Amino acid sequence: MKTDNPLSGTARGLAARYPIVSFSLLALLALALSACTPTYSPQVGVPTRAVVEVESSEPAITISPTSGSAGVYVQVTGENWPVSSLVLITLRDDRGRSGILAASTADTAGTISTGFLYPISPRWLAAGTHTVLAYTSDGQNEATALFQTGEADEVTGTATAASSAQQATTAQEAVTATPSSTVTPSVTPTVTSTPTPSATPTITPAPTPTPLIITDWRGDYWTNPTQSGPPVLTRNDLVIFFNWGNGTPDTSVGVDHFSARWHRTLNFDAGIYRFNIEVDDGFRLYIDNILILDEWEEGPARTYTVDVPLSTGQHSIQVDYFERTGVALMRFWWERNESFSGWKGEYFGNRDLQGNPALVRDEPEIAFDWGEGRPAPNLPADHFSARWQRRVSFDAGTYRFYVRMDDGARVLLDNQLILNDWEDGGERTVSVDVTLPAGERAIQVEYYETGGIARMAFWWEIAPTATPTPTPTVELEPTATETPTPESAPVETPTPTETAVPAPTETPTPTETAEPVPTETPTPTETAVPVPTETPTPTETPDSDTPPPVVDPGDATVTPTPTKDTQN
């Protein structure tokens, strides 16, 4: 069967007369046929599911980002947690857990959502993989995720802006280049050879962003140690964790005699946070514009810590630093504190322990002599109060608790008031003895200062067992009063009753002053016993004659002579 040539009739005639038209018609026909031919190309941007998700009932968490450094906000989401369970977020390593960084309560779908700032602590900044642990408060469920830390590269906002601008430029160039590949149908074959789109890539380079973008700490640097004048350098510092040694933060700053200030506002969950500073030379720490630590003085490398209670919400932190000469060191970090190794000391800006404490410290002992000063820069010198709490294990026994104070204090043991001197007054020491069974006891010591000198000390010891010694001295007095009664007994023992009986009755009379001496002469019969027993009796007897023979040790030799005379 004969098929017609597509170029039939008029088309065939035109093709014979104008060969170039024939070529153009063939090209158009080829394009039409290619458009009708189905071709397969994968959809760009639609990922294929290479992994089949398997539903699991085990609790799980996901963190974002999965790598970073100190101060990075880590978002934590989770699923399959018991409904209404409290899920706590910490870090874990071979030494144990960190403090609680965040918490969330699982909703009715078993999901949680919270986040935390990655700790600025050498322990958790070591390069490597760290475990983020989520667990329920009852310890029955837990899940983990891995967070990678590496070298602390400072990525400033300007770098990210330049990078994004470069990516935008590249993308734009790619878009403008694509129209050159599309062939617009035209009768003139010269269309394909004119690269007109190439004129559009006259894109000016992305301008360097002049405004500084602060995403972390705003760091201002001065070329003097007093932060005088405008700073010579302002930059975005990822962390305050610098050991410049004998170097400099920047060539524009210098090696010595410089200062810096870092400021940032962060969101905190309610709790007690321990702020740590390692410094050489001096620094100041402000939280919510309140001076918390003030060590603005020269000195070698040293470390300071302070516990500060924070409410839920945003809090501003400012750290000031200066370097005089030699090594330059400034490291600042914090973590949530849930335990105290010594006394938990809470300080209040009033004398009634009211409101939230202005300062919380972990203190090894209660022994303070503030004089006319103040316990901390953010507390007044007068009209402040403090509370110390601790649990202590005691062996069974009687303990004596002491308080030395100026002004008032009181002590509670297992919430029972055992010592109360809550009143103004000068320095004084009071004590109380308490008998305790073996076991752990909760001790709470409270103190307030009104004005003038401020001192407070508290300690205890086992009550001395020799305390009964003063009681025998009291018992000796009644025994001394009974000693006169035996005098009547020795009076009755001698046979000459006539001389012995009237003598005691007549001893009070001054006329018979000589006779009392023989009345006591029977005592030589019991020379060993009556002499020591009668030593206290002179103080008891009203007689003025009796003391001399009792006190005089030679009285025993004198008294026998009159006794012999009376017997004869």
Side-chain angles (χ1 to χ4, degrees):
M1 180 178 179
K2 182 179 179 181
T3 58
D4 292 333
N5 192 320
L7 297 176
S8 59
T10 304
R12 186 167 49 227
L14 290 173
R17 295 178 61 185
Y18 305 101
I20 189 170
V21 175
S22 175
F23 175 78
S24 299
L25 291 174
L26 289 174
L28 290 174
L29 182 61
L31 288 174
L33 291 174
S34 63
C36 297
T37 305
T39 58
Y40 173 78
S41 61
Q43 296 179 0
V44 179
V46 180
T48 58
R49 297 181 63 86
V51 179
V52 178
E53 295 183 355
V54 179
E55 294 185 359
S56 173
S57 60
E58 294 295 326
I61 60 170
T62 302
I63 61 174
S64 178
T66 58
S67 63
S69 186
V72 173
Y73 185 79
V74 181
Q75 179 72 31
V76 181
T77 57
E79 57 184 5
N80 298 325
W81 293 91
V83 176
S84 300
S85 63
L86 179 62
V87 181
L88 308 176
I89 310 297
T90 66
L91 294 176
R92 183 173 66 185
D93 59 8
D94 54 356
R95 292 167 51 187
R97 298 176 182 173
S98 69
I100 297 174
L101 303 175
S104 179
T105 301
D107 58 16
T108 55
T111 61
I112 61 169
S113 179
T114 184
F116 64 92
L117 291 172
Y118 196 81
I120 307 177
S121 170
R123 175 181 175 185
W124 306 110
L125 288 180
T129 302
H130 299 274
T131 301
V132 179
L133 171 66
Y135 63 96
T136 53
S137 57
D138 59 7
Q140 299 298 318
N141 299 276
E142 69 173 39
T144 59
L146 298 180
F147 187 86
Q148 182 74 30
T149 58
E151 297 296 329
D153 297 327
E154 294 187 17
V155 182
T156 62
T158 57
T160 56
S163 176
S164 60
Q166 184 178 2
Q167 292 176 1
T169 303
T170 306
Q172 188 171 1
E173 290 177 352
V175 170
T176 56
T178 51
S180 62
S181 62
T182 57
V183 180
T184 58
S186 177
V187 177
T188 59
T190 58
V191 176
T192 56
S193 61
T194 56
T196 52
S198 61
T200 53
T202 58
I203 300 175
T204 57
T208 56
T210 52
L212 180 64
I213 300 176
I214 303 296
T215 58
D216 302 290
W217 292 93
R218 176 189 175 93
D220 295 315
Y221 295 81
W222 288 265
T223 55
N224 58 76
T226 57
Q227 299 179 339
S228 300
V232 298
L233 173 66
T234 298
R235 69 184 187 186
N236 181 89
D237 284 330
L238 182 63
V239 293
I240 308 175
F241 208 78
F242 302 106
N243 185 1
W244 295 296
N246 293 316
T248 175
D250 189 84
T251 55
S252 63
V253 175
V255 176
D256 295 321
H257 301 282
F258 68 86
S259 57
R261 172 179 294 153
W262 295 273
H263 184 270
R264 188 176 187 181
T265 299
L266 296 168
N267 190 53
F268 288 86
D269 291 332
I272 298 174
Y273 292 83
R274 175 162 297 171
F275 293 88
N276 307 271
I277 292 182
E278 187 179 3
V279 65
D280 180 345
D281 287 286
F283 79 96
R284 294 190 185 105
L285 171 63
Y286 297 84
I287 297 180
D288 294 331
N289 298 319
I290 298 175
L291 183 60
I292 302 299
L293 283 177
D294 186 4
E295 296 296 333
W296 199 257
E297 59 185 6
E298 298 181 39
R302 57 207 187 274
T303 302
Y304 297 90
T305 61
V306 61
D307 294 318
V308 181
L310 297 179
S311 59
T312 300
Q314 290 191 337
H315 297 272
S316 65
I317 302 176
Q318 177 180 315
V319 181
D320 291 350
Y321 167 78
F322 85 90
E323 158 64 9
R324 185 69 68 181
T325 58
V327 174
L329 172 69
M330 181 63 206
R331 290 173 174 168
F332 172 67
W333 72 98
W334 69 87
E335 51 192 351
R336 193 163 178 171
N337 183 29
E338 300 294 336
S339 62
F340 293 84
S341 59
W343 292 91
K344 178 184 178 181
E346 299 174 302
Y347 293 82
F348 302 81
N350 57 75
R351 49 167 287 170
D352 301 316
L353 303 165
Q354 292 183 353
N356 294 324
L359 177 67
V360 180
R361 294 194 299 212
D362 190 348
E363 296 175 317
E365 60 181 357
I366 305 175
F368 303 101
D369 186 356
W370 296 296
E372 295 183 351
R374 61 188 66 190
N378 61 328
L379 289 168
D382 297 320
H383 300 284
F384 68 87
S385 56
R387 177 190 295 125
W388 296 274
Q389 293 174 305
R390 187 177 184 179
R391 297 191 67 85
V392 180
S393 294
F394 289 90
D395 294 331
T398 300
Y399 294 84
R400 181 165 296 172
F401 296 89
Y402 297 89
V403 174
R404 182 181 297 122
M405 66 203 137
D406 180 346
D407 287 292
R410 58 194 175 204
V411 180
L412 293 88
L413 188 66
D414 289 336
N415 296 322
Q416 298 295 321
L417 187 65
I418 63 170
L419 193 152
N420 187 14
D421 202 346
W422 197 258
E423 60 185 11
D424 294 353
E427 182 177 351
R428 59 205 185 275
T429 302
V430 296
S431 64
V432 62
D433 290 353
V434 179
T435 300
L436 298 175
E440 189 178 68
R441 306 291 168 201
I443 304 177
Q444 179 171 311
V445 181
E446 298 177 349
Y447 164 80
Y448 81 89
E449 160 66 8
T450 296
I453 302 298
R455 293 189 177 98
M456 177 62 193
F458 172 74
W459 72 99
W460 68 85
E461 63 181 6
I462 297 178
T465 56
T467 50
T469 52
T471 55
T473 59
V474 179
E475 292 176 357
L476 289 176
E477 293 180 359
T479 56
T481 55
E482 295 177 359
T483 51
T485 56
E487 290 180 358
S488 59
V491 170
E492 295 176 357
T493 51
T495 53
T497 57
E498 296 82 1
T499 59
V501 173
T505 57
E506 295 176 356
T507 50
T509 62
T511 56
E512 307 236 317
T513 54
E515 292 180 2
V517 176
T519 58
E520 292 185 355
T521 55
T523 56
T525 57
E526 296 179 357
T527 54
V529 177
V531 171
T533 55
E534 290 180 358
T535 54
T537 58
T539 59
E540 302 293 330
T541 57
D543 258 355
S544 60
D545 298 333
T546 53
V550 175
V551 176
D552 190 0
D555 187 42
T557 58
V558 177
T559 52
T561 53
T563 53
K564 290 178 183 178
D565 293 338
T566 55
Q567 287 174 351
N568 292 331

